[in-house]
């Protein structure tokens, strides 16, 4: 297979996935329609995480802070200053960009285990800050963005982002843009440098590449994508709360990416979708099987992490690529 | 109360925190030092210690001291056994790879929390202290039990230090920490040492939890704060350095006690976490540690 053929195949596959998601808008029943809109936004979060974890090999335990930067960056001005959705999204992105730049400069001085702990601690600081400024953020209770503010007006259009179909389409557009962006990055020479850093940092440096600049750029792109997911979540679902900044929301994208397959472009979507339904469905099932038992999603998340790391470290798409479909990006 | 009594009270409270923290952090530090494994589930072994202590104390009838003593002996054994199971079934299978073991111990963290939630429930429950004596200080009476926690912790820390530096077991552990490959070549069963150290680390956390549970209650989410504080202590003290760990525990415990009496506890946590992250960024060998080999 020539490079051209691979390229065509790859773009065709991703276009097909987006087209399938578009078609699902018209056939899914209400409940699953809502779930899929949420999963697409969360999958954007996972794709941002995957860029750093999968391709550069940097395992961050603090990506909740970037999601929260977007969430609060969009939510706070919308609630307190009455800004519109467009301006809110822009400030959310800007907040994520600024935070990831600062965190990148500091945290990338460390490597390995220290990097994980440092990112976790910075994220913990962001989490605690949402409580410290409780008079604006209302901490755990969170803020609700009014329906009137969650609309997008431009060039004569006036879109109500609270209506299910518009919300689904907005989530799909964000998802498609970020998917195309990740695919373009991964296939670019910059993407190849990132993978080279993951495989052998010293050698990449010897070959004359600026490793720190590469890692910093990847952190900023990754953090900003996660912030985009956070801002979209605030605008589309109208809720901004401290729980999204907690450690759990740093672990979840890791779990989604591990399940779908690290360093695969479509893995994050697959992982997020499966995990969402696993947690959602198992809740009712376990309650039916074990009546009166106190079962929450904690155990499922924990078990999934251990099983994946022990028996299935490459995830679903990673295994498929390793065994059968070599050209999968 | 004036400033003096306030400060004394804050110092005493801080010393109790330090005492428990030093034990917990020592467990984390040992596991990291010898095995190079960052055990994110460490706080959950602490939580398990408290929950099992409540369970045992509720089984034993008669004087509260009986139940407490039974808990002090049995709870660490049960927790140590569970840690051994985790080590055998998970960590060893991952060949102690630093990154994979972090992800796996995060999973273990959630599994243990789930087990506690299922079998123990979401309520916070107290264990009665073994004795109720008030020690009269110049300005106020202070709980004798809290003072005994400080003494017990100091004794245990000394015992651990003795084992590590003056016995054959300690020598084997230090040899494994210094160079696992060479230790293996000299016939030291490295994997057995790893299993023992992992169980010992969890047991230290469990003992700390049994000591604290008459003061604060047992709850299935109680492992979160000690985990973060232990990380802070181990980082400030220098990863894998025992003396540094104990020094840092006293420092952090006192600072925590004093700052949270005079300032907002949230702000204190924010500043402490930020400072520690900066230490890790700019002085990764810790404040008291020496540069890694």
């Amino acid at each position: 297979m020539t490079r051209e053929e691979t390229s065509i195949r790859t773009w065709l596959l991703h276009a097909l996935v987006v087209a399938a998601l578009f078609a699902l808008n018209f056939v899914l029943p209400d409940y699953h329609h809502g779930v899929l809109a949420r999963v697409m936004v969360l999958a954007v979060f996972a794709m941002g995480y995957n860029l750093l974890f999968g391709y550069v090999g940097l395992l961050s335990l603090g990506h909740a802070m970037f999601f929260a930067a977007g969430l609060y960056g969009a939510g706070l001005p919308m609630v307190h200053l009455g800004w519109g959705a467009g301006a809110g999204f822009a400030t959310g992105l800007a907040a994520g960009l600024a935070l990831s730049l600062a965190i990148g400069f500091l945290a990338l001085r460390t490597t390995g285990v220290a990097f994980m702990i440092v990112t976790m601690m910075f994220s913990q600081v962001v989490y605690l800050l949402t409580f410290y400024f409780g008079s604006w953020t209302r901490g755990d209770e969170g803020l609700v963005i009014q329906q009137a503010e969650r609309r997008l007006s431009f060039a004569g259009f006036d879109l109500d982002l609270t209506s299910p179909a518009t919300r689904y389409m907005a989530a799909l557009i964000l998802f498609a843009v970020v998917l195309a962006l990740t695919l373009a990055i991964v296939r670019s020479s910059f993407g190849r440098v990132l993978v080279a850093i993951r495989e052998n940092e010293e050698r990449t440096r010897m070959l004359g590449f600026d490793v720190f600049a590469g890692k910093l750029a990847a952190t900023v792109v990754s953090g900003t994508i996660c912030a985009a997911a956070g801002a979209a979540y605030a605008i589309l679902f109208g809720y901004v709360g401290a729980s999204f900044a907690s450690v759990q929301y740093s672990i979840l994208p890791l779990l989604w990416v591990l399940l779908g397959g690290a360093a695969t472009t479509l893995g994050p979507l697959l992982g997020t979708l499966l995990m969402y339904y696993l947690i959602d469905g198992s809740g009712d099932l376990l309650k039916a099987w074990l009546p009166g038992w106190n079962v929450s999603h904690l155990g499922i998340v924990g078990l999934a992490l251990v099983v994946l790391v022990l028996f299935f470290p490459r995830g679903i798409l990673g295994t498929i690529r390793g065994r059968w479909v070599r050209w999968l990006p | 109360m004036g400033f003096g009594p306030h400060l004394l009270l804050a110092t005493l409270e801080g010393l109790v925190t330090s005492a428990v923290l030093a034990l917990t952090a020592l467990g984390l530090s040992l596991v990291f030092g010898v095995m190079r494994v960052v055990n994110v589930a460490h706080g959950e072994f602490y939580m398990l210690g408290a929950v099992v202590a409540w369970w045992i104390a509720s089984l034993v009838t008669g004087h509260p001291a009986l139940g407490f003593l039974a808990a002090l002996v049995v709870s660490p054994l049960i927790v140590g056994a569970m840690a051994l199971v985790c080590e055998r079934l998970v960590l060893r299978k991952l060949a102690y790879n630093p990154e994979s073991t972090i992800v796996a111990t995060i999973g273990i963290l959630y599994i243990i929390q789930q087990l506690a939630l299922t079998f123990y429930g979401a309520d916070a429950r107290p264990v009665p202290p073994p004795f109720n004596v008030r020690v009269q200080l110049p300005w106020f009476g202070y709980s004798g039990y809290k003072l005994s926690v400080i003494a017990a912790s100091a004794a245990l820390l000394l015992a651990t230090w003795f084992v590590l530096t003056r016995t054959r077991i300690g020598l084997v552990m230090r040899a494994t920490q210094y160079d696992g490959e060479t230790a293996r070549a000299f016939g030291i069963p490295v994997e057995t040492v790893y299993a023992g150290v992992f169980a010992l680390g969890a047991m230290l956390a469990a003992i700390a939890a049994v000591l604290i549970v008459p003061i604060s209650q047992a709850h299935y989410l109680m492992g979160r704060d000690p985990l973060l504080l232990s990380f802070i202590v181990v980082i400030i003290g220098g990863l894998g350095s025992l003396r540094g760990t104990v020094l840092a525990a006293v420092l952090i415990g006192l600072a925590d006690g004093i700052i949270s009496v005079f300032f907002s506890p949230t702000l204190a946590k924010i500043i402490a976490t930020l400072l520690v992250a900066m230490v890790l960024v700019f002085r990764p060998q810790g404040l008291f540690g020496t540069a890694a080999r």
Side-chain angles (χ1 to χ4, degrees), chain B residues 47-67:
Chain B
M47 179 272 286
L48 263 185
V51 166
V52 173
W54 174 85
W55 177 61
I56 290 168
S58 67
L59 287 181
V60 178
T61 51
H63 195 272
L66 285 178

PDB file of all heavy atoms in Angstrom, chain B residues 47-67:
ATOM      1  N   MET B  47      -7.065   4.026  55.428  1.00  0.00           N
ATOM      2  CA  MET B  47      -8.519   3.979  55.650  1.00  0.00           C
ATOM      3  C   MET B  47      -8.948   2.581  56.106  1.00  0.00           C
ATOM      4  O   MET B  47      -9.725   2.434  57.058  1.00  0.00           O
ATOM      5  CB  MET B  47      -9.221   4.384  54.348  1.00  0.00           C
ATOM      6  CG  MET B  47     -10.727   4.364  54.379  1.00  0.00           C
ATOM      7  SD  MET B  47     -11.431   2.771  53.947  1.00  0.00           S
ATOM      8  CE  MET B  47     -11.168   2.765  52.190  1.00  0.00           C
ATOM      9  N   LEU B  48      -8.413   1.547  55.430  1.00  0.00           N
ATOM     10  CA  LEU B  48      -8.762   0.169  55.803  1.00  0.00           C
ATOM     11  C   LEU B  48      -8.390  -0.110  57.255  1.00  0.00           C
ATOM     12  O   LEU B  48      -9.146  -0.750  57.991  1.00  0.00           O
ATOM     13  CB  LEU B  48      -7.999  -0.807  54.920  1.00  0.00           C
ATOM     14  CG  LEU B  48      -8.700  -1.376  53.699  1.00  0.00           C
ATOM     15  CD1 LEU B  48      -7.784  -2.403  53.052  1.00  0.00           C
ATOM     16  CD2 LEU B  48     -10.014  -2.022  54.080  1.00  0.00           C
ATOM     17  N   GLY B  49      -7.226   0.391  57.667  1.00  0.00           N
ATOM     18  CA  GLY B  49      -6.787   0.199  59.042  1.00  0.00           C
ATOM     19  C   GLY B  49      -7.815   0.740  60.014  1.00  0.00           C
ATOM     20  O   GLY B  49      -8.173   0.081  61.002  1.00  0.00           O
ATOM     21  N   ALA B  50      -8.344   1.930  59.733  1.00  0.00           N
ATOM     22  CA  ALA B  50      -9.331   2.543  60.626  1.00  0.00           C
ATOM     23  C   ALA B  50     -10.645   1.767  60.601  1.00  0.00           C
ATOM     24  O   ALA B  50     -11.255   1.517  61.648  1.00  0.00           O
ATOM     25  CB  ALA B  50      -9.558   3.993  60.200  1.00  0.00           C
ATOM     26  N   VAL B  51     -11.084   1.374  59.390  1.00  0.00           N
ATOM     27  CA  VAL B  51     -12.369   0.686  59.270  1.00  0.00           C
ATOM     28  C   VAL B  51     -12.311  -0.686  59.957  1.00  0.00           C
ATOM     29  O   VAL B  51     -13.229  -1.074  60.690  1.00  0.00           O
ATOM     30  CB  VAL B  51     -12.753   0.556  57.775  1.00  0.00           C
ATOM     31  CG1 VAL B  51     -13.875  -0.440  57.590  1.00  0.00           C
ATOM     32  CG2 VAL B  51     -13.136   1.917  57.222  1.00  0.00           C
ATOM     33  N   VAL B  52     -11.202  -1.420  59.735  1.00  0.00           N
ATOM     34  CA  VAL B  52     -11.048  -2.724  60.379  1.00  0.00           C
ATOM     35  C   VAL B  52     -10.972  -2.554  61.903  1.00  0.00           C
ATOM     36  O   VAL B  52     -11.530  -3.351  62.660  1.00  0.00           O
ATOM     37  CB  VAL B  52      -9.805  -3.458  59.828  1.00  0.00           C
ATOM     38  CG1 VAL B  52      -9.536  -4.731  60.612  1.00  0.00           C
ATOM     39  CG2 VAL B  52      -9.989  -3.787  58.363  1.00  0.00           C
ATOM     40  N   ALA B  53     -10.306  -1.467  62.334  1.00  0.00           N
ATOM     41  CA  ALA B  53     -10.226  -1.199  63.776  1.00  0.00           C
ATOM     42  C   ALA B  53     -11.626  -1.010  64.359  1.00  0.00           C
ATOM     43  O   ALA B  53     -11.938  -1.546  65.432  1.00  0.00           O
ATOM     44  CB  ALA B  53      -9.379   0.050  64.033  1.00  0.00           C
ATOM     45  N   TRP B  54     -12.475  -0.279  63.648  1.00  0.00           N
ATOM     46  CA  TRP B  54     -13.842  -0.092  64.141  1.00  0.00           C
ATOM     47  C   TRP B  54     -14.549  -1.442  64.237  1.00  0.00           C
ATOM     48  O   TRP B  54     -15.225  -1.734  65.212  1.00  0.00           O
ATOM     49  CB  TRP B  54     -14.628   0.833  63.198  1.00  0.00           C
ATOM     50  CG  TRP B  54     -16.058   0.907  63.600  1.00  0.00           C
ATOM     51  CD1 TRP B  54     -16.603   1.731  64.542  1.00  0.00           C
ATOM     52  CD2 TRP B  54     -17.130   0.077  63.126  1.00  0.00           C
ATOM     53  NE1 TRP B  54     -17.942   1.471  64.679  1.00  0.00           N
ATOM     54  CE2 TRP B  54     -18.286   0.468  63.822  1.00  0.00           C
ATOM     55  CE3 TRP B  54     -17.217  -0.945  62.180  1.00  0.00           C
ATOM     56  CZ2 TRP B  54     -19.535  -0.134  63.600  1.00  0.00           C
ATOM     57  CZ3 TRP B  54     -18.440  -1.544  61.964  1.00  0.00           C
ATOM     58  CH2 TRP B  54     -19.588  -1.131  62.675  1.00  0.00           C
ATOM     59  N   TRP B  55     -14.365  -2.275  63.216  1.00  0.00           N
ATOM     60  CA  TRP B  55     -15.033  -3.568  63.160  1.00  0.00           C
ATOM     61  C   TRP B  55     -14.592  -4.451  64.332  1.00  0.00           C
ATOM     62  O   TRP B  55     -15.410  -5.048  65.034  1.00  0.00           O
ATOM     63  CB  TRP B  55     -14.714  -4.232  61.813  1.00  0.00           C
ATOM     64  CG  TRP B  55     -15.271  -5.594  61.633  1.00  0.00           C
ATOM     65  CD1 TRP B  55     -16.598  -5.934  61.643  1.00  0.00           C
ATOM     66  CD2 TRP B  55     -14.540  -6.801  61.408  1.00  0.00           C
ATOM     67  NE1 TRP B  55     -16.719  -7.288  61.442  1.00  0.00           N
ATOM     68  CE2 TRP B  55     -15.481  -7.836  61.295  1.00  0.00           C
ATOM     69  CE3 TRP B  55     -13.174  -7.100  61.285  1.00  0.00           C
ATOM     70  CZ2 TRP B  55     -15.102  -9.156  61.064  1.00  0.00           C
ATOM     71  CZ3 TRP B  55     -12.806  -8.400  61.056  1.00  0.00           C
ATOM     72  CH2 TRP B  55     -13.766  -9.417  60.953  1.00  0.00           C
ATOM     73  N   ILE B  56     -13.291  -4.498  64.574  1.00  0.00           N
ATOM     74  CA  ILE B  56     -12.780  -5.342  65.658  1.00  0.00           C
ATOM     75  C   ILE B  56     -13.219  -4.796  67.015  1.00  0.00           C
ATOM     76  O   ILE B  56     -13.677  -5.551  67.890  1.00  0.00           O
ATOM     77  CB  ILE B  56     -11.249  -5.440  65.577  1.00  0.00           C
ATOM     78  CG1 ILE B  56     -10.885  -6.273  64.354  1.00  0.00           C
ATOM     79  CG2 ILE B  56     -10.666  -6.086  66.827  1.00  0.00           C
ATOM     80  CD1 ILE B  56      -9.444  -6.226  63.994  1.00  0.00           C
ATOM     81  N   ALA B  57     -13.117  -3.455  67.180  1.00  0.00           N
ATOM     82  CA  ALA B  57     -13.512  -2.863  68.462  1.00  0.00           C
ATOM     83  C   ALA B  57     -14.985  -3.112  68.746  1.00  0.00           C
ATOM     84  O   ALA B  57     -15.393  -3.273  69.898  1.00  0.00           O
ATOM     85  CB  ALA B  57     -13.222  -1.360  68.451  1.00  0.00           C
ATOM     86  N   SER B  58     -15.815  -3.172  67.686  1.00  0.00           N
ATOM     87  CA  SER B  58     -17.243  -3.406  67.908  1.00  0.00           C
ATOM     88  C   SER B  58     -17.522  -4.879  68.225  1.00  0.00           C
ATOM     89  O   SER B  58     -18.571  -5.212  68.763  1.00  0.00           O
ATOM     90  CB  SER B  58     -18.046  -2.967  66.682  1.00  0.00           C
ATOM     91  OG  SER B  58     -17.745  -3.825  65.598  1.00  0.00           O
ATOM     92  N   LEU B  59     -16.585  -5.778  67.882  1.00  0.00           N
ATOM     93  CA  LEU B  59     -16.767  -7.211  68.186  1.00  0.00           C
ATOM     94  C   LEU B  59     -16.402  -7.508  69.638  1.00  0.00           C
ATOM     95  O   LEU B  59     -16.982  -8.392  70.267  1.00  0.00           O
ATOM     96  CB  LEU B  59     -15.885  -8.068  67.271  1.00  0.00           C
ATOM     97  CG  LEU B  59     -16.303  -8.181  65.814  1.00  0.00           C
ATOM     98  CD1 LEU B  59     -15.320  -9.086  65.070  1.00  0.00           C
ATOM     99  CD2 LEU B  59     -17.713  -8.719  65.691  1.00  0.00           C
ATOM    100  N   VAL B  60     -15.384  -6.796  70.163  1.00  0.00           N
ATOM    101  CA  VAL B  60     -14.881  -7.089  71.502  1.00  0.00           C
ATOM    102  C   VAL B  60     -15.742  -6.367  72.522  1.00  0.00           C
ATOM    103  O   VAL B  60     -15.947  -5.157  72.427  1.00  0.00           O
ATOM    104  CB  VAL B  60     -13.407  -6.640  71.635  1.00  0.00           C
ATOM    105  CG1 VAL B  60     -12.891  -6.898  73.041  1.00  0.00           C
ATOM    106  CG2 VAL B  60     -12.558  -7.354  70.604  1.00  0.00           C
ATOM    107  N   THR B  61     -16.264  -7.120  73.491  1.00  0.00           N
ATOM    108  CA  THR B  61     -17.057  -6.486  74.547  1.00  0.00           C
ATOM    109  C   THR B  61     -16.159  -6.246  75.759  1.00  0.00           C
ATOM    110  O   THR B  61     -15.021  -6.712  75.811  1.00  0.00           O
ATOM    111  CB  THR B  61     -18.242  -7.380  74.948  1.00  0.00           C
ATOM    112  OG1 THR B  61     -17.719  -8.682  75.209  1.00  0.00           O
ATOM    113  CG2 THR B  61     -19.279  -7.442  73.857  1.00  0.00           C
ATOM    114  N   GLY B  62     -16.696  -5.480  76.720  1.00  0.00           N
ATOM    115  CA  GLY B  62     -15.915  -5.200  77.918  1.00  0.00           C
ATOM    116  C   GLY B  62     -15.292  -3.821  77.845  1.00  0.00           C
ATOM    117  O   GLY B  62     -15.788  -2.928  77.155  1.00  0.00           O
ATOM    118  N   HIS B  63     -14.167  -3.665  78.537  1.00  0.00           N
ATOM    119  CA  HIS B  63     -13.509  -2.356  78.596  1.00  0.00           C
ATOM    120  C   HIS B  63     -13.049  -1.902  77.201  1.00  0.00           C
ATOM    121  O   HIS B  63     -12.553  -2.725  76.430  1.00  0.00           O
ATOM    122  CB  HIS B  63     -12.308  -2.451  79.547  1.00  0.00           C
ATOM    123  CG  HIS B  63     -11.795  -1.107  79.960  1.00  0.00           C
ATOM    124  ND1 HIS B  63     -10.850  -0.419  79.236  1.00  0.00           N
ATOM    125  CD2 HIS B  63     -12.111  -0.313  81.009  1.00  0.00           C
ATOM    126  CE1 HIS B  63     -10.608   0.742  79.821  1.00  0.00           C
ATOM    127  NE2 HIS B  63     -11.369   0.827  80.910  1.00  0.00           N
ATOM    128  N   PRO B  64     -13.230  -0.605  76.869  1.00  0.00           N
ATOM    129  CA  PRO B  64     -12.820  -0.120  75.546  1.00  0.00           C
ATOM    130  C   PRO B  64     -11.363  -0.413  75.235  1.00  0.00           C
ATOM    131  O   PRO B  64     -11.012  -0.622  74.063  1.00  0.00           O
ATOM    132  CB  PRO B  64     -13.072   1.389  75.620  1.00  0.00           C
ATOM    133  CG  PRO B  64     -13.898   1.628  76.818  1.00  0.00           C
ATOM    134  CD  PRO B  64     -13.892   0.416  77.673  1.00  0.00           C
ATOM    135  N   ALA B  65     -10.521  -0.442  76.275  1.00  0.00           N
ATOM    136  CA  ALA B  65      -9.095  -0.669  76.030  1.00  0.00           C
ATOM    137  C   ALA B  65      -8.854  -2.034  75.388  1.00  0.00           C
ATOM    138  O   ALA B  65      -7.962  -2.184  74.546  1.00  0.00           O
ATOM    139  CB  ALA B  65      -8.319  -0.555  77.331  1.00  0.00           C
ATOM    140  N   LEU B  66      -9.671  -3.029  75.760  1.00  0.00           N
ATOM    141  CA  LEU B  66      -9.509  -4.371  75.189  1.00  0.00           C
ATOM    142  C   LEU B  66      -9.731  -4.338  73.682  1.00  0.00           C
ATOM    143  O   LEU B  66      -8.927  -4.843  72.897  1.00  0.00           O
ATOM    144  CB  LEU B  66     -10.506  -5.340  75.832  1.00  0.00           C
ATOM    145  CG  LEU B  66     -10.167  -5.786  77.257  1.00  0.00           C
ATOM    146  CD1 LEU B  66     -11.274  -6.697  77.782  1.00  0.00           C
ATOM    147  CD2 LEU B  66      -8.838  -6.517  77.250  1.00  0.00           C
ATOM    148  N   GLY B  67     -10.860  -3.738  73.294  1.00  0.00           N
ATOM    149  CA  GLY B  67     -11.181  -3.639  71.873  1.00  0.00           C
ATOM    150  C   GLY B  67     -10.106  -2.880  71.124  1.00  0.00           C
ATOM    151  O   GLY B  67      -9.677  -3.287  70.041  1.00  0.00           O
TER     152      GLY B  67
END
